[in-house]
Amino acid sequence: MIGVLIVTHGNFSEAIIKSMELVFGHQKKLEALTLNYGDDVRDLLVKVKEKSKELDDGDGVMVLVDLLGGSPCNVAASCLRDENIQCVTGLNLPMLISVLEERHNVALSQLPEAALENGKSGIVNLKQLIG
């Protein structure tokens, strides 16, 4: 099973997991890391590498981060030389649920596309949709 690691600014990673569990239930091989004010980015890098190794049982790890260009993203980017790691930015709840659902059906190399597609499809102007 592909492991999923969520790395965000503040407690967003922990909160989105709790929100996801309301909709989709508890999930295995899912971990959250946070970067809070005053934290050392080098420590986060060590934690990302450690968690990625813990989560990878041979199928790889999908890393989801909140903000393109932010410190969590930059840390994840430095780990992408490892072919068993993929990363998508712009984390939202539809993206997370789709990754958790699709990780059983596709290879790691295909999972980013599912994340992108479902993350984007969950963003709509509701007034236009129902109006």
Side-chain angles (χ1 to χ4, degrees):
M1 176 189 318
I2 296 169
V4 178
L5 178 60
I6 302 174
V7 188
T8 66
H9 293 88
N11 295 327
F12 178 47
S13 57
E14 297 167 341
I16 199 167
I17 288 175
K18 289 179 191 257
S19 295
M20 175 278 304
E21 288 176 340
L22 289 171
V23 177
F24 202 61
H26 178 76
Q27 299 294 306
K28 295 179 181 179
K29 301 198 69 62
L30 170 64
E31 295 284 340
L33 291 174
T34 62
L35 180 68
N36 293 297
Y37 184 77
D39 288 352
D40 189 328
V41 175
R42 293 172 295 205
D43 292 339
L44 181 63
L45 176 59
V46 169
K47 290 177 185 176
V48 167
K49 288 180 178 182
E50 288 173 352
K51 284 291 182 191
S52 294
K53 285 180 183 170
E54 285 176 28
L55 289 168
D56 189 0
D57 62 7
D59 293 324
V61 176
M62 181 72 187
V63 180
L64 301 173
V65 300
D66 53 356
L67 182 65
L68 177 63
S71 294
C73 176
N74 295 338
V75 165
S78 69
C79 298
L80 292 178
R81 287 188 186 99
D82 182 339
E83 61 189 52
N84 272 350
I85 296 178
Q86 293 281 344
C87 182
V88 172
T89 67
L91 174 63
N92 62 31
L93 193 53
M95 177 189 293
L96 175 57
I97 291 170
S98 72
V99 164
L100 292 169
E101 189 172 44
E102 292 296 321
R103 69 181 172 163
H104 302 286
N105 305 318
V106 301
L108 178 63
S109 62
Q110 298 169 311
L111 202 50
E113 189 58 38
L116 292 168
E117 183 179 315
N118 289 293
K120 290 176 187 177
S121 69
I123 301 170
V124 299
N125 180 331
L126 189 57
K127 190 166 188 163
Q128 285 181 342
L129 180 69
I130 64 174

